[in-house]
Amino acid sequence: MGLTLPPLAFGLITGVVGALLGRRAGLDPWWMAIQVAFPLGILAAQGAPVPSWVWLSLFLVLVVVYWSTFRTQVPLYLSSTRVRQALVPLLPAGPFTFMDVGSGVGGVLTDLSVLRADGEYHGIESAPLPWLVSRVRIAAGRHRNCHAHWGSFWNADLSQYDVVFAYLSPVPMAALWEKVRAEMRPGSTFISNTFVVAASRPSRTITVDDLHQSTLHIWTMPGA
Ligand SMILES: C[S@@+](CC[C@H](N)C(=O)[O-])C[C@H]1O[C@@H](n2cnc3c(N)ncnc32)[C@H](O)[C@@H]1O
């Protein structure tokens, strides 16, 4: 249009247009602040005396930590220590198998393997760096009853486990519930940290006294 704009004005216009398009495309309102700030952040970063490989490295770290979060809508955040402790009384008496679907950096597995050493703990994680951290953590702590698998829990056979634990997001819960119902054995237990299943009321809920007042939703599979 023959206009010459100062970089700041151009950044602001780009951000506002991005925010409006993002909102129209269905992003939550809080994304708008990020959309506006993002081009301004790029402009500020261009003036910083930072070599370009630093930005590339930071980007690659984010890729291996968050991997397919843009698709799964389940980012990495961790169950609190109190949640892990609250899981202990929910575990079956005697030897049992446990699966953490989306096991992050493996903390649920390693903590429980100490608190209840008679369990066999499995976790499946799709993001490479958290999975690698779990493997190192399990090996370094000699947690012989812990196993971290790299892959998608959609491909895991949940009939193998007495307890399945999930701390995900609202997005996959309806489809996960279908998988749980189709595959988990009668009498086995499904536990979701925080996120509910619209189609089914849990058999029990427990509020945990941690920073977020986390809630554990517990379902016992019928037919036992
Ligand atoms: C909120 S974190 C929970 C971590 C851990 N379970 C805990 O409670 O501390 C959810 C994890 O699920 C992983 N995830 C999301 N979708 C997945 C999928 N389809 N298969 C395997 N992992 C998945 C994410 O990469 C993320 O690390």
Side-chain angles (χ1 to χ4, degrees):
M1 296 167 72
L3 287 176
T4 307
L5 289 172
L8 188 62
F10 181 70
L12 261 178
I13 292 171
T14 308
V16 169
V17 171
L20 293 174
L21 288 177
R23 187 79 186 114
R24 222 187 131 87
L27 290 180
D28 286 333
W30 52 268
W31 268 103
M32 295 180 81
I34 296 175
Q35 305 276 66
V36 172
F38 195 70
L40 300 176
I42 291 175
L43 284 174
Q46 276 183 337
V50 179
S52 52
W53 63 263
V54 172
W55 302 118
L56 179 62
S57 308
L58 288 173
F59 173 71
L60 291 177
V61 169
L62 290 176
V63 168
V64 289
V65 172
Y66 290 103
W67 205 239
S68 51
T69 296
F70 66 92
R71 190 162 40 79
T72 62
Q73 307 270 299
V74 183
L76 173 68
Y77 34 78
L78 306 177
S79 292
S80 67
T81 307
R82 292 215 174 150
V83 161
R84 298 172 197 184
Q85 289 162 349
L87 287 172
V88 175
L90 305 176
L91 300 174
F96 61 91
T97 49
F98 177 100
M99 163 58 89
D100 181 1
V101 288
S103 46
V105 291
V108 171
L109 308 177
T110 53
D111 278 14
L112 287 181
S113 81
V114 173
L115 295 166
R116 271 295 299 275
D118 56 342
E120 200 66 31
Y121 298 92
H122 295 260
I124 185 159
E125 171 58 50
S126 54
L129 190 59
W131 166 77
L132 195 62
V133 170
S134 320
R135 291 294 295 248
V136 171
R137 201 170 181 177
I138 289 168
R142 294 172 197 267
H143 299 283
R144 290 200 177 79
N145 52 348
C146 286
H147 314 273
H149 311 276
W150 185 26
S152 171
F153 60 71
W154 297 116
N155 300 327
D157 176 6
L158 300 184
S159 68
Q160 306 293 311
Y161 307 101
D162 298 305
V163 181
V164 173
F165 172 72
Y167 184 29
L168 298 169
S169 85
V171 177
M173 291 312 289
L176 179 59
W177 177 247
E178 289 309 312
K179 182 172 172 64
V180 160
R181 270 195 346 152
E183 294 178 13
M184 286 188 70
R185 278 181 275 114
S188 58
T189 307
F190 174 59
I191 305 171
S192 172
N193 182 359
T194 304
F195 303 106
V196 291
V197 171
S200 172
R201 280 165 72 95
S203 331
R204 258 175 95 187
T205 57
I206 295 174
T207 305
V208 179
D209 185 18
D210 62 4
L211 193 64
H212 313 286
Q213 295 291 296
S214 304
T215 307
L216 293 177
H217 305 276
I218 304 145
W219 289 262
T220 304
M221 293 299 118

